[in-house]
Every structure is written in structure tokens, then in C-alpha cells.
Amino acid sequence: MNVLVCIKRVPATAGKITLTPDGQDIDTRYLGFTISPHEECAVEEAVRMIEAHGGSTTVLTLGPEAAADQLRDAMALGIERAILLETDGREWDPVATAAAIVEAIEAERAGGHSYDLVLFGNESADSAGYQVGVRVADALDLPCVTGIKAIEVTDGRAMVRRQTESGWETADVPLPAVLTVKEGINLPRYPSLPGRLKAKKKEIERIKPQRQDGGLDKVRLTLPVQAEHTVEILGKNGDAGAQLVEVFQRLRLL
């Protein structure tokens, strides 16, 4: 079995987001970066599949040279091979991103390296577009199931499950296929020190895709309105006791 996992370099969830003065990009000077949580689970699922069934794993991302760090993080967990679709750092919309991934997969196929499963996170942690995996499946004419919480592969087919408001849905999908997984499908492992050392020595294949127009046109980015918080100092030492009782009474807690 050959599995490809597509990941995205995103700002760390605890980081404070600031924009460039023109409102066109995120100012990344003081940000840490990581892999989207759903995609961390996709990486873990790929490693588990190969441990159970044998085969090979590849991780792919589209982004700047710095995104090689996220590829090495995935290789430290057990992914064998990495491909960087290198860009100048500008954000690519879902149409352009999917087209670049499709081109890379087709080039791999032409070179004799085909994939039984292409895994995505259900959505990225930054833009949450829910589009790239579906667009890739459509362009490659492959079956696609989204929001996966369980995968079982047997005899060239994948039995997948996803949770909905009305309960669990189960689908029997022939391979090759594209699946987008959700956080909670597994508990991703931590990379070991030997795994990190091996990942540093592995070569990352680099491709510079041509950006295709025809997607969304970005006008500008805006930050969400920050919730305001107020603090009331009731007093010092024992002076606050009576006022604290009054606050509890107003809140009907007494």
C-alpha cells in the first residue's frame, strides 16, 4: 500500500495573529508554525496503515522553504518520503493549491509511483476552506469521503466511518481514493529523538509549481473583533468581603 498525506503549514494556534500594513498577508515575523491538527491525525493514520499492511508513505506540502520543517516533523513520526511544492510564501487559494497537488500526483504516477490513498485533513486550521481534498479527488476522478473518524483497509477497499448529527455513516470505498480525516480519529504519537535525527538526514524533494489563476481574488484580510473584558477591584485584604457578598447577590448565587 502506498499512502500520500497532504499537510499545510499553519500558524501555531496559541500565537497572536497580526497583519501586514496593507492587509494582504499575516505578519509571520513573530509566529511559530505547525501542522494543522486534522492533518497531524492524517499523518498518524498513514503511519499506522503502513505498520499494519506494509508499503510506503509520502508527505507533501505546498509552501515556502520554511515549510520543510513541517515535512521533517512528519518524517520524524515515521513518514518515509517528503515533497515540497515550493512557493514564494504567498498564500495560494484552494483552486491553485489543488491544481498544484494534482500536477504533482500525476507526475508521480507518470514516473511509476501511484498512491492507493491520498489523505488530507478535513480542513486547515487557518482558512478552514474544506475544499482542497475534494477538488483534488474531482480532478483525479477518484472517490472521496470527507470528515472521516475511522478507516479500515482490506482487499483493495477502505471501510470508512464519519459522525453526523443523526449518527454514524459508513461507506465502502474502492481504492485508490481520497479521504479527509478529522481530529479524533486517533491520538498522534510524539516524535522520538532517533526519529528526529533520521528526519534531519532525509532528503526533501522540491518542485516549483506554476501558480494557476482562476480561483478566488483576495481583497484584504481582517482580524476578528476582540472580546472586551472588564475587571472590578472590590477592595483590599478584608475590605472586599462585603462587596463580594453583594456581587454574589446580584448574580443570584446567594
Side-chain angles (χ1 to χ4, degrees):
M1 171 178 287
N2 297 322
V3 182
L4 173 66
V5 187
C6 298
I7 65 174
K8 185 179 181 182
R9 177 180 185 259
V10 298
T13 53
K16 182 180 180 181
I17 303 297
T18 58
L19 303 180
T20 55
D22 61 3
Q24 292 300 306
D25 292 290
I26 295 174
D27 188 341
T28 61
R29 288 176 295 176
Y30 309 111
L31 279 178
F33 287 85
T34 186
I35 301 172
S36 289
H38 296 296
E39 292 160 3
E40 288 181 328
C41 291
V43 169
E44 174 67 25
E45 198 66 19
V47 172
R48 291 187 184 190
M49 286 181 188
I50 299 310
E51 289 174 345
H53 303 285
S56 66
T57 51
T58 303
V59 61
L60 176 149
T61 193
L62 182 142
E65 169 60 30
D69 291 342
Q70 281 66 54
L71 293 175
R72 295 197 188 280
D73 287 343
M75 288 193 289
L77 296 173
I79 300 291
E80 301 164 10
R81 180 169 167 255
I83 301 172
L84 173 62
L85 304 182
E86 190 174 353
T87 71
D88 59 4
R90 291 179 297 168
E91 183 75 9
W92 286 34
D93 63 58
V95 176
T97 300
I101 294 173
V102 168
E103 185 178 359
I105 293 174
E106 289 179 335
E108 289 274 284
R109 185 185 295 169
H113 195 104
S114 59
Y115 297 104
D116 301 294
L117 272 177
V118 181
L119 299 181
F120 290 84
N122 199 54
E123 75 268 9
S124 62
D126 52 358
S127 57
Y130 298 84
Q131 295 188 45
V132 176
V134 177
R135 288 182 180 276
V136 168
D138 180 67
L140 295 175
D141 195 25
L142 295 177
C144 178
V145 186
T146 61
I148 302 303
K149 279 291 192 76
I151 306 173
E152 183 179 349
V153 176
T154 53
D155 299 326
R157 305 186 72 86
M159 186 72 71
V160 299
R161 300 178 69 213
R162 65 179 179 185
Q163 193 171 18
T164 68
E165 293 181 357
S166 57
W168 287 90
E169 292 181 351
T170 302
D172 184 10
V173 186
L175 302 183
V178 175
L179 304 177
T180 74
V181 306
K182 295 192 72 172
E183 188 178 10
I185 188 174
N186 55 47
L187 182 62
R189 68 193 73 186
Y190 288 101
S192 64
L193 179 58
R196 287 194 179 277
L197 294 175
K198 289 179 182 178
K200 285 185 177 181
K201 297 178 182 178
K202 289 184 178 180
E203 181 182 354
I204 294 177
E205 301 171 35
R206 287 168 169 80
I207 302 170
K208 291 192 175 181
Q210 294 296 317
R211 181 168 179 159
Q212 298 186 20
D213 296 327
L216 302 175
D217 291 326
K218 178 172 61 179
V219 177
R220 65 179 292 115
L221 301 175
T222 58
L223 293 173
V225 177
Q226 298 296 315
E228 295 184 358
H229 300 279
T230 58
V231 176
E232 181 181 353
I233 299 177
L234 299 177
K236 295 182 179 180
N237 300 324
D239 299 338
Q243 296 183 54
L244 183 60
V245 171
E246 183 181 344
V247 170
F248 283 162
Q249 289 174 338
R250 290 205 310 263
L251 296 175
R252 296 183 180 180
L253 296 176
L254 289 177

